[in-house]
Amino acid sequence: MEKFDLSNIFQGISTMLQSDPAIMYSRIGLILLGILLVYLGRKGVLEPLVMIPMGLGMAAVNAGVLIFPGGIHGNLFLDPMVTDTDQLMNILQIDFLQPIYTFTFSNGLIACLIFMGIGTMLDINFVLAKPLQSMFLALCAELGTFAVLPIAYSMGLSPSDSASIAMVGGADGPMVLFTSLNLSKEIFVPITVVAYLYLGLTYGGYPYLVRAMVPKRLRAIKMKPAKKPSRQYSPATKISFAVVMCVILCLLFPVAAPLFFSLFIGVVIKESGLKHVNDFISGPMLYGSTFFLGILLGVLCDAHTLLDPTVLKLLVLGILALLISGIGGILGGYIMYFFKRGNFNPVIGIAAVSCVPTTAKVAQKIVSHDNPSSMILPDALGANIMGVITSAIIAAIYVTVIPML
């Protein structure tokens, strides 16, 4: 009879003890981080729909390491590094998340599904009401997306990897996933994980940035209404705008056509009055895709995958990109404040960082705290929606131009 060995039963513990100390401590750290993300998501400090499944997935994948034949350590969640077709077909029948990863995540489908859901939430009326103002603020709020690219390159990253991590400054997770899949296939996993970890901090972190840069008397500004009330555009006009924008952007940047199509088909479905389809896209499809995205991001946080010196650079560059974009948005708000001779609340600038609709809600919440009678949400949503479109255009430019360098 074979000797009874507890290590063969409790393999999660035995693999941890047998691992290199760096791997062991990384696994323990990631398990604790995962538990923390679940807690912060439950408390509402971070986005719960992403952070709760991401945190539990992170803890589970680092705890559930077992020994495969040949003494190889692995897990039964998924293998993001597999490239051999025969091996992939085998793993698809074993790792329970591999089909979702292979057929929705690694080809960008899940990003497009989420973008489609975002499209159903957008009211183009806010953009059409003040297009130049919204466009200006959106460009200012992309400052981190532009500034971090040369910084990342100077830190030793390739132009493609630099562009991918710089997209974190756009504060749009699907955009980061799409860009990194096209430009940085070798490190798109840590880039996407870093992006979503930091995007969860926008709700809790940006209010401190706003309060540091905008004094209370300016945060409390109540803008005077325009002499002419804002025009309400018909659904036909909004559909025409979406169709024309989609066709033009697809003509200019074919490589990002799936993103543009996904965003604008959501807008068209909403404005066409297809209620049941709209409810499906904005409900089960959007929330289901986001939920599975959170799970996949969590189980991709394997200690072996993230124990790369490049990850530390990505962590620094990601937070820097979001910080610079937030500063750029607020500076844009100040420029509009002076241009409109004081009849503009600079806090609106932070809403142009395109984390829809989080940053718009953050802006309104900050202003309401200092002046409950001040309503900036329509202007904030206009900047917010234009920020999404601008981020998609910049992603398309990077994906098209960077490979030519």
Side-chain angles (χ1 to χ4, degrees):
M1 184 175 176
E2 198 173 313
K3 185 179 178 183
F4 186 77
D5 190 352
L6 284 175
S7 66
N8 289 328
I9 299 176
F10 305 113
Q11 293 189 16
I13 297 173
S14 64
T15 54
M16 187 175 289
L17 296 175
Q18 294 169 15
S19 299
D20 181 89
I23 296 292
M24 181 180 71
Y25 292 128
S26 296
R27 281 178 61 185
I28 294 171
L30 287 169
I31 290 171
L32 295 175
L33 176 59
I35 295 170
L36 177 62
L37 291 179
V38 173
Y39 173 78
L40 294 177
R42 172 65 181 84
K43 287 290 186 181
V45 177
L46 301 178
E47 174 57 51
L49 184 58
V50 175
M51 290 301 155
I52 289 177
M54 181 176 176
L56 190 55
M58 185 185 298
V61 77
N62 285 285
V65 178
L66 67 163
I67 304 171
F68 287 119
I72 301 171
H73 291 186
N75 61 71
L76 293 175
F77 290 88
L78 61 82
D79 183 355
M81 310 309 291
V82 61
T83 55
D84 181 72
T85 306
D86 293 336
Q87 187 181 1
L88 175 60
M89 290 303 297
N90 185 47
I91 291 177
L92 283 170
Q93 301 174 63
I94 300 173
D95 293 357
F96 86 108
L97 285 174
Q98 192 72 43
I100 299 175
Y101 174 83
T102 302
F103 298 123
T104 69
F105 189 90
S106 61
N107 60 6
L109 173 61
I110 202 166
C112 291
L113 293 179
I114 292 173
F115 227 48
M116 204 177 294
I118 291 173
T120 62
M121 299 192 306
L122 303 184
D123 188 346
I124 299 297
N125 203 81
F126 293 120
V127 174
L128 296 176
K130 298 177 180 178
L132 295 180
Q133 172 185 300
S134 299
M135 190 182 302
F136 173 75
L137 292 173
L139 284 171
C140 290
E142 294 290 348
L143 183 61
T145 310
F146 295 119
V148 166
L149 195 155
I151 295 173
Y153 185 69
S154 68
M155 291 175 65
L157 296 185
S158 68
S160 295
D161 294 345
S162 300
S164 297
I165 191 62
M167 280 306 303
V168 176
D172 199 313
M175 218 75 67
V176 177
L177 174 58
F178 183 84
T179 306
S180 57
L181 277 171
N182 279 275
L183 296 180
S184 307
K185 283 192 177 292
E186 291 184 0
I187 60 168
F188 86 91
V189 170
I191 288 175
T192 307
V193 169
V194 166
Y196 273 91
L197 276 174
Y198 284 149
L199 293 186
L201 298 175
T202 55
Y203 191 83
Y206 272 168
Y208 295 100
L209 178 64
V210 171
R211 293 189 183 100
M213 292 187 64
V214 185
K216 185 176 180 179
R217 65 179 182 84
L218 296 183
R219 297 198 304 266
I221 288 176
K222 182 179 180 180
M223 298 185 294
K224 298 174 185 176
K227 294 178 181 179
K228 293 182 179 180
S230 297
R231 179 181 171 185
Q232 295 298 311
Y233 292 90
S234 67
T237 303
K238 296 178 187 177
I239 291 172
S240 300
F241 172 82
V243 170
V244 171
M245 284 291 293
C246 181
V247 171
I248 290 174
L249 291 173
C250 288
L251 279 170
L252 293 174
F253 308 108
V255 71
L259 273 183
F260 296 129
F261 169 79
S262 299
L263 178 68
F264 289 113
I265 192 64
V267 175
V268 171
I269 290 295
K270 175 187 177 183
E271 299 300 337
S272 295
L274 300 174
K275 186 178 185 303
H276 296 300
V277 181
N278 184 73
D279 290 346
F280 168 72
I281 295 174
S282 62
M285 194 175 84
L286 174 60
Y287 289 106
S289 298
T290 307
F291 174 74
F292 277 107
L293 176 64
I295 291 177
L296 289 171
L297 289 172
V299 300
L300 286 170
C301 291
D302 175 81
H304 292 84
T305 304
L306 296 184
L307 201 63
D308 184 328
T310 307
V311 174
L312 181 59
K313 294 180 182 179
L314 298 179
L315 287 168
V316 173
L317 291 166
I319 196 69
L320 186 62
L322 277 176
L323 176 63
I324 295 175
S325 287
I327 292 171
I330 295 171
L331 292 177
Y334 270 116
I335 293 172
M336 290 302 301
Y337 168 79
F338 290 113
F339 180 76
K340 294 198 171 186
R341 299 178 182 179
N343 188 32
F344 189 84
N345 195 315
V347 177
I348 295 171
I350 199 68
V353 181
S354 68
C355 191
V356 176
T358 301
T359 47
K361 293 194 293 185
V362 165
Q364 181 61 63
K365 185 177 180 181
I366 294 169
V367 171
S368 296
H369 181 268
D370 295 310
N371 184 358
S373 65
S374 179
M375 172 57 69
I376 65 166
L377 195 57
D379 292 85
L381 283 170
N384 206 204
I385 294 167
M386 184 57 78
V388 176
I389 298 171
T390 305
S391 290
I393 293 172
I394 294 173
I397 292 172
Y398 280 175
V399 172
T400 302
V401 175
I402 295 297
M404 299 177 182
L405 300 179

